[in-house]
Amino acid sequence: MRKGIAVSPGVAVGTAYCIHEIFVNPDTRKLEDSQITAELARYETARDKAAADLRALKNKVERQVGPDEAAIFGMHESILRDAAFTNKIRGWVVNQRISAPAALHQLLNEYSALFARTRDEYLRERLNDVRDVVNRISGHLSDVLQPDSTVLDGPVIVIADELLPSQAVALGDVNVMGIVTQRGSQTSHAAIIARSRGIPAVSGVTNVLRQVQTGDLVVVDGSQGQIVLRPDAETRAAYLKLEREFFDLKDQLAENRDQPAVTSDGVALRLLANINNVADAKAAVAMGASGVGLYRTEYLYLTHPNVPDEEEQLVNYRQVIAASPQQLVTIRTLDIGGDKTVPYLGHSHQEANPFMGWRSIRLSFEHPEFFLTQLRAVLRASADAKPGHIRLMCPMITTLEEMRRVRTMVRRARRELEEEGKTFGDVPLGLMLEVPAAAVAIDVILEVVDFVSIGSNDLVQYLMAADRDNPKVNHLCQPLSPPVLRVLNSVIQSCLRADRPVTLCGEMAGAPSAFVLLLGMGLRNFSMSPAFVPSIKDLASHLSVDRAERILHRALQMKTVAHIKRFVHNEVADIAPSLALLDTA
């Protein structure tokens, strides 16, 4: 048994599917003499396709962003065409009779060992460029080399160092029943993806890829934050029973999809969904959400083969709106940076402190034409929507001046569209509150915004000065800690006094314990992973606002996280006993 971080509740038993074996397939089978020439030709074809990708990407980034940002792709093509790089691959295919993917895997291992010995930070960063090139070639080779289909016959537990958005998309229709990662936290990509699909997941299990192989039997307990590798028959049977109970509970809760979200004393709530794509929007409908409280547009950029232009974004936004509950969507502008990077926006070099650096709205301001393209696409997509149904939200707003600057940009986008004779809608403009400075000055900022969405994921880590993805300090990122609860209560009260709609769209919204406290604070709009909507709707139906306020009052008097968590968890178990199984807050 291995312990990690509980990031998505539930229990799953299935076959391990190691992510590094999917994307760089280190096939150990030796080629026959008759296969070597064909394998070399296959590599050359994949290399040429990768080079064509890089040239097209370089040209597109030059047009949309600028020549400096596009230069990284020219460097990647130079690596791709480097004689030493190519000769090593060809030599290993011919002399060792290994496949091209295996040769690329071997090359990456060799370069990793070489770069690890240097103290030059610039040279060490070049390893990321080599890795990008290898992955690009491997992507074209994978069109021919498919993973062993026998592994996919039953439920799969994905084992990865870190699950990136592009990797999640590449999994396609694989029957993923659980996710385990070596790195990450409750708000990492893997956690967000797992919760949006209702998949049990555990992060922060160090060195698990060294201890498990594709095909091994694995148990994931996302509620307790632990995994069991190669369980014996008795242990397997026990967890299969828990797995059935988990799925029975999900099926039972899903039956409330058509019921209104209302407390036991008749107070109406809005339970919205956080989504990444059209599939998530459809899941939000299936789970009974009343709208989309957060559409993360960065996933369009992260999974796009190059740079989505205005027309491509317009098509995507229209599809998301059409697929969403009541066609009610809050669209967040690009939130790149921190743990989500794209090379064409200057993130080829790692910052010393990326979460507090050049990211989100700061990056959008740095590239105004690029930002303007997204604003235009959102305004155009809202043309046929009901007034107020499509809202525009900007991430990581820190000051009043930044919000005013956004409004200026929106006005410019509207003027351009008017001059071009293109139809567009009038969208309410709000901020995602995740910076403590904005929380402190919320009374001032409320003068220039139409609504507020609290991004508790980042707000918690900034408030606690602790990187949520750093295993040394992520124990400090506790959403139920006294300082976090006090700040949230203060912000919500300020919004209510100013008569500004306020929503919480961090992962707290879908955690039963946190939901009880937020309801007690006066919050009535909650946005969460679609899979959590039924459980929170059920919890609300058993909970009165008066009791939530009494629970909050007692919790705010407590001095430690442990005390608060124990107290509120016991209250949830008393209100709705079955839902305590889903509580990871």
Side-chain angles (χ1 to χ4, degrees):
M1 183 177 289
R2 296 292 312 281
K3 186 70 176 173
I5 301 168
V7 297
S8 185
V11 173
V13 181
T15 304
Y17 196 17
C18 296
I19 210 81
H20 61 75
E21 294 183 25
I22 302 171
F23 296 99
V24 183
N25 187 355
D27 195 343
T28 57
R29 290 173 295 179
K30 297 296 183 182
L31 299 173
E32 300 293 335
D33 291 342
S34 59
Q35 295 177 303
I36 290 176
T37 301
E39 190 67 8
L40 289 172
R42 197 164 75 88
Y43 172 74
E44 295 295 337
T45 299
R47 191 184 67 154
D48 290 344
K49 287 180 179 179
D53 288 346
L54 289 167
R55 285 193 297 272
L57 189 51
K58 182 174 182 289
N59 292 335
K60 194 169 186 179
V61 173
E62 276 182 343
R63 290 195 307 271
Q64 291 197 28
V65 187
D68 291 342
E69 290 76 16
I72 182 68
F73 301 106
M75 183 174 70
H76 282 192
E77 188 177 2
S78 298
I79 294 172
L80 188 74
R81 298 294 189 188
D82 181 72
F85 185 106
T86 301
N87 290 339
K88 279 182 180 293
I89 299 298
R90 288 172 175 165
W92 288 331
V93 171
V94 173
N95 299 321
Q96 297 183 17
R97 299 196 308 175
I98 59 177
S99 68
L104 284 167
H105 186 259
Q106 187 165 307
L107 179 84
L108 196 55
N109 286 341
E110 183 178 288
Y111 276 41
S112 297
L114 177 66
F115 281 73
R117 291 197 292 269
T118 180
R119 295 184 178 180
D120 189 314
E121 190 62 31
Y122 175 80
L123 289 177
R124 294 183 68 167
E125 286 179 359
R126 298 286 63 76
L127 178 61
N128 290 329
D129 296 315
V130 174
R131 184 176 286 111
D132 283 345
V133 171
V134 167
N135 287 340
R136 192 173 291 277
I137 300 172
S138 296
H140 286 291
L141 286 168
S142 66
D143 291 340
V144 180
L145 263 187
Q146 297 297 328
D148 182 0
S149 61
T150 60
V151 178
L152 308 180
D153 289 342
V156 166
I157 307 296
V158 169
I159 312 287
D161 178 51
E162 187 178 22
L163 191 62
L164 302 178
S166 56
Q167 293 174 328
V169 170
L171 287 171
D173 296 325
V174 174
N175 182 21
V176 178
M177 302 294 288
I179 296 175
V180 179
T181 61
Q182 295 185 145
R183 294 189 289 168
S185 66
Q186 288 191 329
T187 50
S188 64
H189 292 308
I192 290 170
I193 290 165
R195 279 193 292 267
S196 70
R197 299 183 183 180
I199 298 171
V202 178
S203 288
V205 186
T206 56
N207 296 322
V208 67
L209 280 170
R210 295 183 181 179
Q211 299 170 339
V212 65
Q213 296 180 345
T214 291
D216 285 351
L217 187 67
V218 176
V219 171
V220 179
D221 187 339
S223 301
Q224 299 299 317
Q226 59 194 24
I227 68 170
V228 182
L229 306 179
R230 297 174 290 277
D232 57 31
E234 185 177 350
T235 303
R236 179 174 179 269
Y239 276 106
L240 282 172
K241 182 175 182 294
L242 289 173
E243 182 184 48
R244 284 193 299 273
E245 291 175 358
F246 172 64
F247 282 107
D248 288 345
L249 175 61
K250 285 176 61 178
D251 291 342
Q252 176 187 339
L253 292 172
E255 294 176 1
N256 70 16
R257 55 163 290 177
D258 296 323
Q259 297 174 8
V262 60
T263 64
S264 64
D265 51 347
V267 176
L269 307 176
R270 287 211 308 172
L271 302 186
L272 308 162
N274 299 336
I275 69 168
N276 305 324
N277 49 42
V278 173
D280 288 350
K282 293 177 180 177
V285 173
M287 292 293 103
S290 56
V292 169
L294 169 61
Y295 171 39
R296 302 182 180 97
T297 60
E298 60 272 13
Y299 282 76
L300 171 61
Y301 293 78
L302 290 165
T303 59
H304 196 277
N306 42 70
V307 191
D309 58 28
E310 182 177 326
E311 296 303 320
E312 289 173 313
Q313 290 186 53
L314 177 60
V315 170
N316 176 269
Y317 300 153
R318 282 175 172 167
Q319 290 174 340
V320 167
I321 292 168
S324 296
Q326 303 183 53
Q327 298 187 349
L328 181 73
V329 184
T330 298
I331 300 176
R332 182 174 69 185
T333 61
L334 187 63
D335 189 17
I336 289 291
D339 59 345
K340 297 174 290 190
T341 62
V342 289
Y344 54 79
L345 287 177
H347 281 106
S348 57
H349 305 293
Q350 288 292 316
E351 295 179 89
N353 197 343
F355 278 102
M356 299 181 71
W358 190 57
R359 58 170 298 197
S360 304
I361 198 66
R362 302 167 183 178
L363 186 149
S364 295
F365 287 151
E366 186 80 8
H367 299 287
E369 297 302 321
F370 188 79
F371 186 33
L372 201 62
T373 297
Q374 182 171 35
L375 295 179
R376 286 167 54 99
V378 172
L379 289 170
R380 290 174 64 191
S382 67
D384 298 325
K386 294 179 181 179
H389 269 225
I390 308 304
R391 306 192 304 177
L392 184 66
M393 174 171 65
C394 295
M396 209 178 177
I397 294 292
T398 306
T399 65
L400 174 68
E401 292 85 350
E402 286 179 334
M403 206 62 226
R404 286 175 172 168
R405 188 172 177 182
V406 170
R407 285 201 171 275
T408 300
M409 292 288 290
V410 172
R411 286 195 295 269
R412 177 183 166 188
R414 290 171 58 89
R415 281 197 310 270
E416 288 184 3
L417 292 172
E418 279 181 348
E419 291 169 0
E420 297 168 15
K422 294 178 178 176
T423 58
F424 60 91
D426 187 18
V427 298
L429 186 61
L431 82 153
M432 174 169 272
L433 191 145
E434 46 198 333
V435 179
V440 171
I442 188 61
D443 291 337
V444 175
I445 298 176
L446 284 173
E447 298 173 6
V448 296
V449 299
D450 300 312
F451 66 93
V452 173
S453 288
I454 301 171
S456 58
N457 298 353
D458 273 337
L459 180 60
V460 170
Q461 74 166 348
Y462 292 142
L463 197 59
M464 305 307 292
D467 181 354
R468 66 195 187 206
D469 289 330
N470 183 340
K472 297 287 188 182
V473 297
N474 63 14
H475 64 280
L476 294 170
C477 295
Q478 298 286 344
L480 299 191
S481 66
V484 171
L485 295 179
R486 291 176 187 179
V487 169
L488 289 174
N489 193 37
S490 174
V491 168
I492 291 169
Q493 299 310 313
S494 294
C495 292
L496 294 176
R497 285 194 299 269
D499 196 27
R500 291 290 188 277
V502 56
T503 304
L504 189 137
C505 54
E507 297 304 324
M508 284 182 71
S513 289
F515 169 80
V516 172
L517 297 177
L518 292 167
L519 182 68
M521 293 177 192
L523 194 69
R524 300 295 180 262
N525 304 310
F526 304 80
S527 192
M528 62 200 73
S529 296
F532 288 174
V533 170
S535 59
I536 296 301
K537 188 182 292 186
D538 187 72
L539 175 59
S541 70
H542 294 89
L543 175 65
S544 69
V545 169
D546 178 67
R547 182 167 184 179
E549 289 174 346
R550 284 187 277 113
I551 293 171
L552 173 69
H553 179 71
R554 286 193 59 188
L556 288 176
Q557 295 176 321
M558 297 174 181
K559 299 179 180 180
T560 67
V561 176
H563 195 179
I564 294 171
K565 289 178 74 171
R566 185 167 56 251
F567 164 64
V568 183
H569 182 80
N570 288 338
E571 290 290 322
V572 170
D574 181 61
I575 296 164
S578 62
L579 297 183
L581 297 171
L582 302 178
D583 204 359
T584 57

